[in-house]
Amino acid sequence: ENAGYTEMRAEIDAHNKKNKILKQGLGIMPVKFGISFTTAFLNQGSALIWIYIDGSVSVSTGGIEMGQELNSKVALVVAKVLGLPFEQIRVESSHTQRTGNASPTAASTGSDINGNAARIAAERLKNNLTPIAIMLLKERFGVDIPEPVFEDGKVSAPDKSEYAINFKELVQRAHMERVALGSYGYYATPDLYFDRDMGKGHPFHYFVYGAAIARVEINTLSGEHRLISTHIVHENGQSLHPEIDKGQVMGAFIQGMGWCTMEELVVDAKGRYLSGNPSTYKIPGIRDLPEYLDLQLIPARSREASVFGSKAVGEPPFIYGMAVFFALQDALRASRSGAKLHFPATPESIIMALA
């Protein structure tokens, strides 16, 4: 509906009737992607958190930061639990001396597993600090606050924000009262099992849904193509950080498009790679971006979602890139009915399909 599919289809059909060389096509790729390691024991993780007496917080998990902003999401989770500014949380580099027996950061589970482990550790620290907060509020304001609110770097009464103490002051008092300011969190994704022999079980904690529509134009003489437009809708629960998630979806789409259209593995008669370096193995560049890209994140509430209702954005949007492949095939068949496009859809592959 957002893409105007019916109108776009009519425009493409009209264009193709008038043009013999430049043919356009439309491709659609729906996605339903299960999230969890299908090897069930890998779905576990740990986190270690220390609150220092200056109020700063150090977090260690077994997750590996590789540009996907895992550390940012873990910091956001801890900041939300403790009611602190994001800048007050420092996520350390992963180290087996701090968090042992870590599962791989893979299968789109990095934020789910490590974020939940950090959440559990932070909630324990919050529980440790709550009695001290109640005591301080009583001493300072003479009021009994059974459930103080941790928010904006302060701890206060739920309905009277003027009754508040600074988080740093709270931590220092807790230290003087010999309250633990370090905590360990462990998380195991619940209710996962799968019998590979029988092909039965519950291998995924939840599913991610979405769809992509791509419009392309091919030159039937050279085999080259351009990506005119792409529309993506991606359901991701209650996003921890929408801008990070948008970047992940866009990047995964471009990666998937490259896999479908240019990343050809060429081997010789002995099986040796002939496309083993950047000069012979083409990947997408800035000029391969769609001329128009519309991405909409669809919030949703799901009982099976992960930390704070969020969902994974690592691998699922990679599949959206296949919409480009199907669009190229659609454009080919506007020139030659029954044309069979081989994967990946390089210019050579397109020319061969027209031969």
Side-chain angles (χ1 to χ4, degrees), residues 76-200:
L76 285 167
V77 169
V78 175
K80 183 172 183 177
V81 173
L82 296 178
L84 296 174
F86 172 80
E87 296 76 17
Q88 207 162 323
I89 313 298
R90 182 177 70 253
V91 180
E92 314 291 353
S93 59
S94 182
H95 198 297
T96 55
Q97 288 183 330
R98 290 191 293 264
T99 48
N101 304 321
S103 294
T105 305
S108 304
T109 63
S111 297
D112 291 3
I113 292 175
N114 297 287
N116 270 308
R119 173 187 58 80
I120 292 167
E123 287 172 348
R124 288 175 176 168
L125 285 168
K126 182 178 178 180
N127 291 336
N128 291 353
L129 291 170
T130 295
I132 305 301
I134 294 171
M135 181 176 67
L136 269 175
L137 289 167
K138 176 72 171 179
E139 291 177 359
R140 182 74 54 83
F141 304 105
V143 293
D144 291 313
I145 310 296
E147 296 183 5
V149 174
F150 288 67
E151 192 174 45
D152 297 329
K154 299 177 181 179
V155 183
S156 63
D159 53 350
K160 293 184 178 180
S161 58
E162 66 271 20
Y163 295 161
I165 53 176
N166 186 275
F167 184 79
K168 179 180 177 180
E169 181 183 356
L170 170 63
V171 170
Q172 290 175 343
R173 181 61 178 270
H175 182 62
M176 296 300 292
E177 297 290 339
R178 298 187 296 176
V179 171
L181 296 176
S183 181
Y184 167 77
Y186 173 80
Y187 176 77
T189 310
D191 304 322
L192 297 179
Y193 59 93
F194 185 63
D195 187 321
R196 292 180 181 274
D197 295 330
M198 297 294 293
K200 295 181 179 180

Side-chain angles (χ1 to χ4, degrees), residues 225 227 250-265 281-285 288-290 317-325 328 343-347:
H225 77 271
L227 181 52
M250 291 180 183
F253 164 73
I254 296 299
Q255 184 182 2
M257 177 197 70
W259 173 60
C260 292
T261 62
M262 58 186 72
E263 298 182 36
E264 186 174 17
L265 290 173
Y281 186 84
K282 184 173 173 56
I283 62 173
D288 298 304
L289 289 171
F318 178 85
I319 310 300
Y320 296 145
M322 294 185 70
V324 179
F325 179 86
L328 291 170
F343 196 95
T346 61

Side-chain angles (χ1 to χ4, degrees), residues 218-225 328 345-351 354:
I218 63 170
N219 185 316
T220 57
L221 298 180
S222 67
E224 295 176 305
H225 77 271
L328 291 170
T346 61
E348 293 86 354
S349 181
I350 290 173
I351 291 297
L354 291 170

